[in-house]
Amino acid sequence: MYLGAIDQGTTSSRFILFDTDGQICATHQIEHKQIFPKPGWVEHDPFEIWDNTADCIIKAMRAVDAKASDVLGVGITNQRETVIAWNPKTGKVWYNAIVWQDLRGTDLINELKAKYDESWLREKCGLLFSPYFAASKIAWLLNNVEGLREAAENGDAVFGTIDTWLSWNLTGKRCVITDVSNASRYMLMNIKTLKWDDELLAMFNIPKKALPQIVPSTGKIYGLTTTSGPFQGEVPLCGILGDQQSALFGQACFTEGLGKCTYGTGCFLLVNTGNKLCYSSNGLVSTVAYQREGEKPVYALEGSIAVAGSLVQWVRDNLKLVKSAQDLDKCAEEVEDCGGVYIVPAFAGLFAPYWRSDARGVIAGLTGFSNRNHICRAVLESTAFQAHDIFKAIEADSGIKMTALKVDGGLTNSKPLMKFQSDILGIPVIRPQVIETTALGAAYAAGISVGVFNDLDELAGHWKEERRWEPAMDEETRASKVGFWNKAVSRTLNWTEE
C-alpha cells in the first residue's frame, strides 16, 4: 500500500509513491516551459502543468504496477503564490498562471505602501508589501483581462494557487479549495482567524466569492479522485501544504523551536513557533506552517535567501573557475579557511533580513595571498553566512533558542558547506535519510488524514537521521568571521544610488 505525493514546483512537476514507512517506491518528473512575455513577467501554462502532473501519476503508478486501490491517500505540495484564474463551472482558463517570481504587481504594491502602514498589514496577514505574494497578481488579472472582473463577481471565475487547480482537476471539478498554508501567502487571509479578510480584499478590490474555500492542511478528506482521471479510480485527496511548509512537515519539525533550511537555487529557513503567532521586526514573514482538522494552527517564521545554489552555477558557468559543484567542494577543502575572502551575492539586491534592492554583489578581502581555492570556499561560506543572518533574526523575533537545524535540498551534498554552517551557527546541522522532504511532507499529511499514522509523534518516529555535522569553531573565531561578513554586506549597500 502506498501514499502518493504530487510535488508541483516552479520548473517541474513530480509524483512520488511512498510506502507507509516513508520510503520512496516510485517517482516520475517532467519539466514545464517558463514563459517570459516581458522583462520581470513570468508565466506558466496551466494546462501543461495539469497534463504533466497527470502523466507523472500514470508513469509512477505503472512503474510499480499500482492500482488506485493500492493508494491509501494522496497529498499535494506546490510552488506558492503562483495564481491561476479559471471558470470552475466550465474549465475555461482566463490567463496563464502568473508565477511567484513575477513583478507586474510592483506599481500597485508601491501605491498601497504609500497609503497603508506596513505594521497594519503585518498584523493582519503576517506579510510585507511585496509583489511576491498572490494578491497583487490577482488584482492585475482583474484589471487587465477583459470580462474577468464581471465573471469573478458573478461566480464564473476563481483565483487559485496551484494546489487549487490540481485539486479541482483531480476531483472532477468538485473541489475548489486551498489549504491554510497556501492561503497565508495570498496577502488576503487574516492570519489569526484563517479566513479571507474583508479589509484586505477591499484594499485590493478582490471579490471574496472568487476565492477558494480555505481548508486544513491535514486530517480531512477533501474529495475523491475520479475514475476517468490519472489514477483510474477513487483515491482520497487528503493533504495539502505549500512547498516550504511541506518540507518543514516532512522534516518532522512539529514542536516549537524546530526548524529546517532548504538549500536550493535560493534558500528558505522556517522555524516552528507553535500556536504562538510571532511577528517579525527583522525582515521575516509570519506564515501558517500547517493546521490539523479541528485544531489550532501551527505558525512559523520564514526567511528567504535569493542566491544560494545559483551562486555555485554562476562561478561554474560565468567565471569558469570550476567545472562542477563537486569540483567546487574539492577546491574549498584544499584550504583551511577562506583566507579573508568574503563574497556577498547580492546580484539583484538582498532579501531577508535586509530587503535592500539597492545592494549589488561584492567580493571583498582579496590580497596577494588569495587564490582560486579561497574564492571557492568563500562561495560556499556565503550561503552559510546568509542562513546565519536569518537564523539570528528568527531567534530574535521568536525568543526561541534553536538547538539544531534540519537541512534538505541539493546543496546539502556539499560537506564543506554543511560543516561550516554548523560551525557558524554553533549548533548541529542534521540531514535526513529521505531528502525529498517536500514531497514527503505531503505524503505524511495524507497519511495522517486516512489513519496510516495516529499522530505527529508517530510521524516523527519515521524521521531518520542520515548525517550530522557538529560545531567545532570557537566563539572568538565565529564572532570574528561574522564581523567581517557584516562588513562585507555593508559594502554592497547604496550601490545603485547616484
Side-chain angles (χ1 to χ4, degrees):
M1 304 300 290
Y2 303 103
L3 291 168
I6 295 168
D7 182 359
Q8 204 297 304
T10 308
T11 59
S12 68
S13 304
R14 285 192 303 173
F15 181 70
I16 300 179
L17 283 173
F18 293 91
D19 64 21
T20 54
D21 290 324
Q23 299 301 309
I24 294 173
C25 300
T27 182
H28 195 79
Q29 181 172 359
I30 303 174
E31 292 187 358
H32 57 263
K33 184 180 179 182
Q34 307 296 307
I35 303 167
F36 305 101
K38 295 181 181 180
W41 290 27
V42 190
E43 298 175 4
H44 293 157
D45 180 344
F47 294 113
E48 183 185 12
I49 285 176
W50 166 241
D51 289 344
N52 287 357
T53 301
D55 200 22
C56 287
I57 292 169
I58 291 167
K59 288 179 177 172
M61 295 276 284
R62 193 176 292 161
V64 289
D65 197 26
K67 305 181 293 296
S69 57
D70 299 323
V71 184
L72 298 168
V74 62
I76 295 172
T77 183
N78 55 286
Q79 53 169 317
R80 305 173 302 175
E81 299 95 17
T82 297
V83 171
I84 303 171
W86 78 98
N87 187 326
K89 301 171 185 175
T90 66
K92 172 188 176 181
V93 171
W94 288 88
Y95 194 84
N96 274 340
I98 301 182
V99 180
W100 60 273
Q101 301 154 313
D102 191 281
L103 297 175
R104 73 187 71 185
T106 300
D107 290 344
L108 173 59
I109 290 295
N110 288 338
E111 290 175 17
L112 295 176
K113 284 175 74 172
K115 294 180 182 178
Y116 296 89
D117 191 285
E118 194 157 63
S119 63
W120 170 82
L121 180 75
R122 190 194 304 275
E123 180 77 19
K124 279 275 190 184
C125 65
L127 307 178
L128 305 166
F129 276 115
S130 172
Y132 169 35
F133 303 109
S136 64
K137 298 170 172 52
I138 296 172
W140 186 92
L141 287 165
L142 284 166
N143 295 332
N144 289 276
V145 178
E146 187 176 352
L148 181 52
R149 181 169 292 280
E150 181 182 0
E153 291 170 350
N154 292 335
D156 292 327
V158 65
F159 301 94
T161 39
I162 298 293
D163 58 313
T164 310
W165 173 243
L166 295 179
S167 300
W168 182 82
N169 278 286
L170 285 164
T171 60
K173 307 180 182 180
R174 289 194 292 268
C175 287
V176 183
I177 58 174
T178 189
D179 94 293
V180 288
S181 71
N182 279 290
S184 70
R185 316 299 291 189
Y186 276 66
M187 205 187 284
L188 298 172
M189 186 189 81
N190 187 301
I191 198 166
K192 295 175 183 174
T193 66
L194 308 187
K195 295 179 180 178
W196 300 122
D197 187 274
D198 290 333
E199 289 184 303
L200 294 174
L201 290 166
M203 181 171 68
F204 285 98
N205 194 19
I206 294 171
K208 186 186 293 186
K209 66 169 59 178
L211 296 176
Q213 176 190 357
I214 300 174
V215 297
S217 311
T218 184
K220 180 181 177 68
I221 295 176
Y222 315 120
L224 301 174
T225 64
T226 62
T227 54
S228 59
F231 286 102
Q232 294 291 294
E234 293 186 337
V235 176
L237 173 62
C238 49
I240 301 175
L241 288 159
D243 54 7
Q244 297 307 321
Q245 290 97 327
S246 192
L248 190 76
F249 205 82
Q251 286 271 36
C253 296
F254 301 132
T255 56
E256 182 179 310
L258 286 181
K260 69 89 196 176
C261 194
T262 299
Y263 297 79
T265 301
C267 204
F268 291 86
L269 202 162
L270 276 75
V271 173
N272 182 327
T273 62
N275 301 127
K276 180 174 64 177
L277 176 55
C278 297
Y279 291 105
S280 175
S281 56
N282 292 285
L284 308 176
V285 299
S286 307
T287 195
V288 178
Y290 60 87
Q291 183 195 25
R292 292 185 67 184
E293 169 78 354
E295 297 184 6
K296 292 180 180 180
V298 173
Y299 294 104
L301 280 171
E302 176 178 330
S304 55
I305 297 166
V307 180
S310 52
L311 179 60
V312 175
Q313 294 172 322
W314 180 77
V315 169
R316 181 194 66 194
D317 299 338
N318 292 38
L319 297 189
K320 311 291 185 185
L321 278 184
V322 295
K323 294 180 180 178
S324 66
Q326 293 77 18
D327 191 18
L328 184 81
D329 280 359
K330 185 177 179 181
C331 289
E333 289 174 325
E334 290 293 320
V335 288
E336 291 184 1
D337 56 35
C338 65
V341 179
Y342 292 80
I343 298 178
V344 187
F347 293 156
L350 289 169
F351 275 30
Y354 304 100
W355 298 107
R356 292 290 296 264
S357 59
D358 61 303
R360 290 297 180 267
V362 302
I363 302 177
L366 291 171
T367 66
F369 173 71
S370 308
N371 59 37
R372 182 177 75 142
N373 295 336
H374 293 119
I375 292 174
C376 288
R377 188 168 186 90
V379 166
L380 295 176
E381 291 186 357
S382 72
T383 291
F385 279 121
Q386 290 180 95
H388 170 272
D389 289 341
I390 293 175
F391 184 93
K392 291 303 179 184
I394 285 174
E395 287 196 331
D397 282 331
S398 66
I400 295 170
K401 184 70 175 176
M402 293 175 62
T403 57
L405 182 67
K406 294 181 176 181
V407 298
D408 54 74
L411 271 185
T412 62
N413 290 316
S414 172
K415 294 176 183 177
L417 169 57
M418 292 296 101
K419 179 63 175 73
F420 186 77
Q421 186 72 86
S422 176
D423 279 340
I424 209 66
L425 293 178
I427 60 172
V429 167
I430 307 166
R431 186 173 66 194
Q433 286 184 4
V434 179
I435 61 171
E436 300 294 352
T437 54
T438 303
L440 184 60
Y444 278 170
I448 282 276
S449 304
V450 293
V452 172
F453 312 110
N454 294 316
D455 52 35
L456 297 182
D457 288 340
E458 183 183 349
L459 265 187
H462 285 271
W463 186 92
K464 291 182 175 60
E465 178 180 320
E466 184 264 335
R467 179 74 190 269
R468 174 184 293 248
W469 289 268
E470 295 280 354
M473 186 179 289
D474 63 81
E475 186 56 43
E476 184 179 354
T477 303
R478 183 181 301 121
S480 174
K481 287 182 177 294
V482 170
F484 276 108
W485 165 257
N486 291 335
K487 191 180 292 188
V489 169
S490 72
R491 302 298 193 267
T492 72
L493 306 179
N494 303 311
W495 190 263
T496 61
E497 293 182 2
E498 294 294 324

